[in-house]
Amino acid sequence: MVVSNAVRPKQDQSSSGLVDPFFRSVTYLRVSVTDRCDLRCSYCMSENMRFLPKKDLLSVAELDRLCTAFINRGVRKLRLTGGEPLVRKDFMSLVRILSRHLASGMLDELTLTTNGTQLAGAAAGLAEAGIRRVNVSLDTLDPDLFRSTTRGGDLQRVLDGIAAARKAGLLVKINTVALKGINEAEIPSLIRWSHALGMDITLIETMPLGDTGEDRTKQYLPLSEVRERLAETFTLHSLSERSGGPALYFSVAETSGRLGFITPLTHNFCENCNRVRLTCTGRLFMCLGQEDSVDLREVLRSTSDEAALDAAIVNAIQVKPRGHDFVIDRMRRKPTLGRHMSMTGG
Ligand code: SAM
Ligand code: SF4
């Protein structure tokens, strides 16, 4: 177990829900099902990423067992992510097997975050399995810029994926990482395009996770700046509703759409954190921005006793830290954490 240095009040662990030492209920699990991806976004991965051997990854049966243990402890929302979840060949089996928890009412939502490149082929099956919403990451609508920021990606495949998802009846939310001098000028048109298609869009600050071979201080664009600039073009009204995630939402009067901001660096969102993250190797990270983690694969592979697995999960939640401390350090120019977003799942 790896634990960061925080003062932890004592907790009664006998209650049925998962409650962390700071009295936050953990009801949201994000699961990275693979570290592999068919793109190489410049802020996420290095060009020559080394991926894990397949034997290190949790199998569908192991993922199901773990997710079910969390659901039995009150987790109501599951987000499957990666890497790119749709590059995993047995991904649809996982979705179908987990969807029984939607049917039983134990789970409110099963969803995924995808880069959209393989969504065209998967959308109908996802909708059939009970998935209602997907997040698609898209940082630009310019095919050349898309190719360069993703190091080789084909924008049209993502656009086809989005069209197929909408046709299948899935609600699509666009996630856009704001990149200084790269897609900065395009943000208003991305907002107009998303809203014209009835899709919410959320802007995200780059977080210093993993070495990407790029200088992060060059890519980092504070969303406080973006918001000020957007307010010159759009009328933004703050919305009180949350999506169960860390985004702050605004309505845009000119487009009648919703715009979210995820600002881990300019505004720390940890006080309401209700989520934990599972890597594709079964390591549970209690915070995206801290090293606190517990190896649940070892428990999974060493016992078939569900009570032991449950106890490991309950104990893990007791090391959830108060919050992250991301910094984009101009002097060090190094990531705050060595692991990539594709490991912990975005
Ligand atoms: N491959 C899928 C995708 O791109 O949607 C799912 C995994 S990806 C790691 C999830 C999200 O994390 C994406 O929206 C991506 O833009 C975002 N992301 C990756 N690295 C990031 C970083 N260093 N800072 C902020 N967001 C990042
Ligand atoms: Fe792949 Fe998603 Fe990372 Fe881009 S952000 S490299 S699509 S995992």
Side-chain angles (χ1 to χ4, degrees):
M1 189 186 287
V2 186
V3 182
S4 74
N5 212 2
V7 178
R8 299 175 193 290
K10 282 245 176 306
Q11 284 276 304
D12 171 16
Q13 298 181 12
S14 60
S15 62
S16 61
L18 295 170
V19 179
D20 81 359
F22 303 99
F23 304 102
R24 295 168 298 191
S25 281
V26 175
T27 55
Y28 183 0
L29 176 67
R30 300 173 77 115
V31 183
S32 174
V33 299
T34 176
D35 61 330
R36 285 164 200 261
C37 188
D38 52 354
L39 300 179
R40 295 287 183 279
C41 301
S42 59
Y43 50 80
C44 178
M45 292 193 182
S46 68
E47 201 154 6
N48 306 308
M49 277 300 273
R50 286 261 192 96
F51 296 111
L52 295 164
K54 293 234 169 76
K55 66 169 177 47
D56 288 357
L57 266 55
L58 296 186
S59 67
V60 166
E62 288 170 331
L63 283 165
D64 177 41
R65 189 176 159 209
L66 250 186
C67 291
T68 301
F70 274 95
I71 291 166
N72 288 337
R73 270 284 175 181
V75 160
R76 305 287 312 175
K77 178 169 174 177
L78 263 187
R79 177 174 297 280
L80 305 176
T81 176
E84 173 47 38
L86 290 171
V87 303
R88 189 168 161 151
K89 293 210 165 50
D90 51 11
F91 180 71
M92 288 309 291
S93 330
L94 177 66
V95 169
R96 279 193 290 269
I97 199 169
L98 288 174
S99 70
R100 75 184 184 285
H101 297 300
L102 290 171
S104 74
M106 289 288 282
L107 201 57
D108 294 330
E109 183 162 34
L110 175 62
T111 186
L112 72 151
T113 300
T114 172
N115 64 23
T117 58
Q118 306 199 26
L119 197 50
L126 292 171
E128 234 167 72
I131 288 197
R132 295 284 159 258
R133 301 192 293 176
V134 291
N135 286 359
V136 180
S137 306
L138 181 60
D139 302 328
T140 176
L141 291 168
D142 174 330
D144 294 327
L145 188 57
F146 185 84
R147 195 168 302 112
S148 64
T149 53
T150 60
R151 303 191 182 103
D154 177 0
L155 174 67
Q156 193 53 49
R157 289 180 62 121
V158 180
L159 298 180
D160 291 347
I162 292 171
R166 296 178 64 236
K167 192 165 168 221
L170 298 173
L171 279 176
V172 178
K173 179 165 82 69
I174 301 296
N175 279 344
T176 300
V177 175
L179 298 163
K180 196 176 185 67
I182 299 174
N183 64 357
E184 193 174 349
E186 211 193 320
I187 290 174
S189 46
L190 273 161
I191 294 171
R192 283 198 192 89
W193 173 80
S194 305
H195 289 176
L197 294 176
M199 304 184 293
D200 289 350
I201 176 169
T202 295
L203 305 177
I204 306 172
E205 278 172 351
T206 48
M207 291 171 243
L209 295 170
D211 208 343
T212 57
E214 307 269 335
D215 180 354
R216 287 191 189 273
T217 57
K218 277 198 203 146
Q219 295 179 331
Y220 174 60
L221 175 61
L223 286 183
S224 48
E225 250 177 71
V226 174
R227 205 161 101 191
E228 263 172 39
R229 238 171 299 136
L230 287 174
E232 292 165 13
T233 314
F234 296 120
T235 317
L236 304 180
H237 292 293
S238 172
L239 294 169
S240 52
E241 72 218 71
R242 315 272 309 211
S243 64
L248 280 180
Y249 277 99
F250 291 80
S251 67
V252 181
E254 289 75 7
T255 58
S256 308
R258 293 200 322 159
L259 169 64
F261 292 87
I262 299 185
T263 54
L265 283 98
T266 54
H267 171 80
N268 192 315
F269 47 54
C270 304
E271 64 274 17
N272 299 317
C273 181
N274 62 348
R275 67 212 84 104
V276 287
R277 295 159 193 270
L278 188 70
T279 69
C280 53
T281 61
R283 184 162 279 281
L284 186 72
F285 278 90
M286 262 48 75
C287 172
L288 180 62
Q290 297 281 7
E291 298 287 9
D292 305 67
S293 69
V294 171
D295 181 9
L296 294 178
R297 185 181 62 185
E298 198 184 306
V299 186
L300 270 179
R301 293 187 177 174
S302 64
T303 175
S304 55
D305 178 7
E306 297 310 319
L309 182 58
D310 177 63
I313 291 171
V314 169
N315 287 339
I317 299 303
Q318 297 317 303
V319 301
K320 186 164 164 60
R322 190 186 287 273
H324 66 68
D325 31 49
F326 283 132
V327 218
I328 298 258
D329 186 332
R330 282 190 178 280
M331 300 307 288
R332 286 187 300 146
R333 292 176 187 251
K334 284 271 183 242
T336 305
L337 294 178
R339 66 178 193 273
H340 292 85
M341 183 77 117
S342 50
M343 268 298 293
T344 337

